[in-house]
Amino acid sequence: MDFNLTPEEAAFRDEVRAFLDENLDAAESERDMNWFGGWLKKVREKRWVGFSWPKEVGGGGGTVMQQVILKEEMAKRKAPPLGSCYMGLAWVGPSIIQYGNEEQKQKYIPDILDGTYQWCTGYSEPDSGSDLASLKCRCERDGDEYVVNGQKIWTSIAMISKMMILLVRTQTDVDVKHDGITCLLVEMDSPGIEVRPIKNMSGGAMFAEVFLTDVRVPVENRLGAEGGGWKVTVSALANERSSIAEVYGLTRKMEELKDLARDTERAGQRAIDIPSIRRRLQRAEIRIESMRLNGQRFLTKQLKGEPLGSETSINKLHRASLEVEMGELAMEITGSASTLMQGCDEAPEDGRWAKFALGWPEVVIGGGTPNIQKNIISERILGLPKD
Ligand SMILES: Cc1cc2nc3c(=O)[nH]c(=O)nc-3n(C[C@H](O)[C@H](O)[C@H](O)COP(=O)(O)OP(=O)(O)OC[C@H]3O[C@@H](n4cnc5c(N)ncnc54)[C@H](O)[C@@H]3O)c2cc1C
C-alpha cells in the first residue's frame, strides 16, 4: 500500500505539530499535576482523547491513518499520554462501544474520556491465568441482580479504581469452557468486595487480590449477552495486546535511553560513545523499526476494514523481549548506581531506571505470556497443530 500522506493527512500532521509546539511549553522535569491537568483539558477539547472512537459517543471520529500520525508525532516529541484512564481508554471503552447498550455508553464513556475515575480488570484467578476460560468465579441470578462469589488476582490498580470489568461464570454445565462466561461492570465500593494489595519486586503495590463475597450486581450492568462474555473478552484482549504491541511507547523510551546515554559519563567518556552500548542501542532501534513496519501490516488490514486479530501477538512478543532488553541496557548505561531505588541520594533520576528495569512483568506477562503469544502465532497464523 501507499504510505505517502494525502494532502488532508499532511494538514492534520501539521496541525498536530503546531499544537505540540504551542503546548509542550514546560520541560519534562517541570511538568507537575497542574500542568498535566491543563494538558488533559486541552487534548480533550481537541477530541484527541478517544480519537478513533465514533463522534456520537464523544470520540474524535479520527481515521486509522490520522491516529497513526497523532501517535507518531506525540511519541517523537515525548508528549504525555492522551487521557488518564488507561484501561478505560485501551480496552474497557472499546468493549462498551462494541457490546454495550445506549445507557451503558452514556453512563460510562464520558467519564472514561474525561478520566474522572479509573477502571480495573478482573480476569485472572489463582488457577486461571493463561487458561483464562477455565475461570470459576461463581455468579447466580437473583431477580434483577447477579450474586457473585469468588476470587480474582493480579488485578492492577484495583485499590484506586472505581469500576471493574469482571468475568464470572454464570453456567457450569457447558460442553465448551468458553461458554457460560459473563462480563459484568462492577462498582468497586459494592458491599462484599475486599481488595488486598500485593507488593511487587520493585517495591510498589500496584496490583491486588480481589475477594468477592455475595456481591450484588444489577443485571443492567451486564456487558453483552449472559453467557456471551468470552466474545467480549476476546475483543478486549485483542485491544489490550494491540495497546501493548504499539511501537509509540518504545519509540519514546528509546529517545529517553539515548538522552540517558548522552548525559551519563562512564570511565571518562559519554556512555553513548562506548562501542558496546552504541551497538545495543542500535540493535534496539532496529528492532523497534521492524516492529513499526510490522505494525503497518496491521494498519493495511484495518484500512481495508478488517478487524485486528492474532497478528497483534507478533508485536506483543517483540515488545516483551525489547522491554527486558531496554531495561538491561539502562542498567548497563547507569553502571553500578543502576540498582539504587527511589529515595537514594545517588540513584540516577531518582531511581526511575531501576524501576523501569524491574517493571517488565507488566508488559511481558500482562495480556498473556510470551509462551501464549507463541502458541497463538503458531496455531492461528502459521497453521501449525494445536498445543
Ligand atoms: C504486572 C502484571 C499485571 C497484571 N494485571 C492484570 C490485571 O489487571 N487483571 C488481570 O486479570 N490479570 C492481570 N495480570 C495477570 C496476567 O494476565 C497473568 O499473570 C497471565 O495471564 C499468566 O497467568 P498466570 O500468572 O496464572 O500463569 P500461568 O498461566 O500459570 O503460567 C505459568 C507459566 O506457564 C506457561 N504456560 C501456561 N500455559 C501454557 C501453554 N498452554 N503453553 C505453553 N506455556 C504455557 C506460561 O507462559 C508461564 O510461563 C497481570 C500480571 C502481571 C505480571
Side-chain angles (χ1 to χ4, degrees):
M1 76 169 277
D2 179 5
F3 281 106
N4 289 319
L5 300 185
T6 63
E8 293 76 25
E9 287 162 356
F12 178 69
R13 183 200 56 202
D14 294 344
E15 181 190 337
V16 174
R17 287 182 179 170
F19 177 88
L20 294 176
D21 283 344
E22 194 180 326
N23 292 292
L24 288 180
D25 52 359
E28 269 187 280
S29 55
E30 290 159 13
R31 292 176 195 164
D32 55 14
M33 290 309 282
N34 240 346
W35 185 91
F36 189 54
W39 161 264
L40 287 178
K41 193 163 170 283
K42 284 181 217 160
V43 288
R44 178 82 174 96
E45 276 162 12
K46 294 284 286 178
R47 288 204 172 216
W48 286 353
V49 186
F51 181 58
S52 62
W53 296 3
K55 283 198 165 144
E56 308 83 83
V57 298
T63 64
V64 177
M65 206 58 207
Q66 282 177 326
Q67 203 185 355
V68 169
I69 294 166
L70 177 61
K71 289 188 174 178
E72 265 183 9
E73 294 300 321
M74 301 239 333
K76 276 190 227 154
R77 297 286 299 274
K78 294 188 269 175
L82 292 167
S84 60
C85 180
Y86 170 62
M87 295 190 202
L89 289 166
W91 58 87
V92 180
S95 301
I96 294 175
I97 292 171
Q98 193 174 355
Y99 294 101
N101 55 36
E102 261 328 294
E103 289 88 77
Q104 289 170 336
K105 286 178 198 167
Q106 281 178 21
K107 185 167 175 191
Y108 300 117
I109 297 294
D111 285 339
I112 291 176
L113 291 169
D114 289 339
T116 313
Y117 50 79
Q118 294 296 334
W119 283 78
C120 61
T121 303
Y123 294 168
S124 305
E125 297 180 6
D127 293 319
S128 303
S130 302
D131 183 15
L132 184 59
S134 68
L135 65 91
K136 295 183 194 68
C137 187
R138 267 189 304 126
C139 178
E140 277 150 19
R141 188 153 174 172
D142 181 19
D144 288 341
E145 291 177 324
Y146 286 112
V147 183
V148 182
N149 280 286
Q151 187 199 336
K152 295 288 164 179
I153 194 166
W154 314 124
T155 319
S156 300
I157 64 167
M159 46 297 237
I160 57 162
S161 296
K162 181 176 179 307
M163 295 294 300
M164 168 158 65
I165 183 165
L166 174 72
L167 284 184
V168 293
R169 184 161 288 288
T170 36
Q171 218 186 327
T172 48
D173 56 337
V174 284
D175 295 335
V176 184
K177 63 186 170 189
H178 301 82
D179 293 339
I181 292 173
T182 298
C183 184
L184 301 176
L185 307 175
V186 181
E187 304 210 359
M188 289 298 283
D189 61 2
S190 308
I193 294 188
E194 189 195 345
V195 176
R196 292 189 203 157
I198 307 173
K199 213 168 184 175
N200 66 26
M201 64 180 167
S202 60
M206 279 317 282
F207 47 30
E209 291 177 289
V210 179
F211 294 87
L212 302 113
T213 311
D214 291 332
V215 177
R216 293 193 159 260
V217 183
V219 168
E220 68 202 32
N221 282 27
R222 190 184 68 222
L223 185 61
E226 185 172 302
W230 189 252
K231 212 162 99 181
V232 180
T233 316
V234 167
S235 88
L237 274 175
N239 281 313
E240 180 174 357
R241 281 174 195 148
S242 84
S243 75
I244 294 174
E246 277 183 354
V247 81
Y248 314 107
L250 283 173
T251 309
R252 186 200 154 104
K253 192 60 81 189
M254 193 65 211
E255 291 306 314
E256 291 173 352
L257 260 185
K258 285 193 281 189
D259 285 347
L260 180 73
R262 276 186 208 103
D263 296 343
T264 306
E265 197 162 305
R266 302 280 314 275
Q269 62 178 329
R270 295 186 316 159
I272 201 159
D273 295 326
I274 299 172
S276 62
I277 290 179
R278 281 185 90 81
R279 240 188 335 267
R280 290 184 72 176
L281 282 168
Q282 281 159 356
R283 204 170 54 208
E285 190 134 33
I286 289 166
R287 288 190 66 193
I288 293 172
E289 181 60 10
S290 71
M291 270 180 78
R292 195 180 70 79
L293 294 172
N294 198 34
Q296 303 217 328
R297 282 207 239 177
F298 319 152
L299 179 62
T300 312
K301 234 183 132 183
Q302 282 178 296
L303 289 174
K304 285 184 188 157
E306 296 170 31
L308 268 185
S310 328
E311 309 84 0
T312 53
S313 291
I314 301 174
N315 269 9
K316 162 81 168 79
L317 194 59
H318 275 293
R319 169 86 194 265
S321 64
L322 262 170
E323 193 84 5
V324 176
E325 200 174 309
M326 287 167 80
E328 286 170 356
L329 184 50
M331 305 292 268
E332 191 180 329
I333 293 169
T334 45
S336 55
S338 65
T339 52
L340 299 176
M341 302 291 287
Q342 190 179 29
C344 269
D345 289 346
E346 307 295 319
E349 295 186 47
D350 197 24
R352 175 168 170 240
W353 292 102
K355 193 169 172 213
F356 170 64
L358 290 174
W360 57 265
E362 188 177 340
V363 174
V364 176
I365 303 175
T369 66
N371 289 336
I372 297 308
Q373 306 313 317
K374 286 179 193 164
N375 282 351
I376 293 172
I377 294 167
S378 50
E379 288 166 21
R380 298 192 210 153
I381 300 179
L382 302 177
L384 296 176
K386 236 182 132 29
D387 171 39

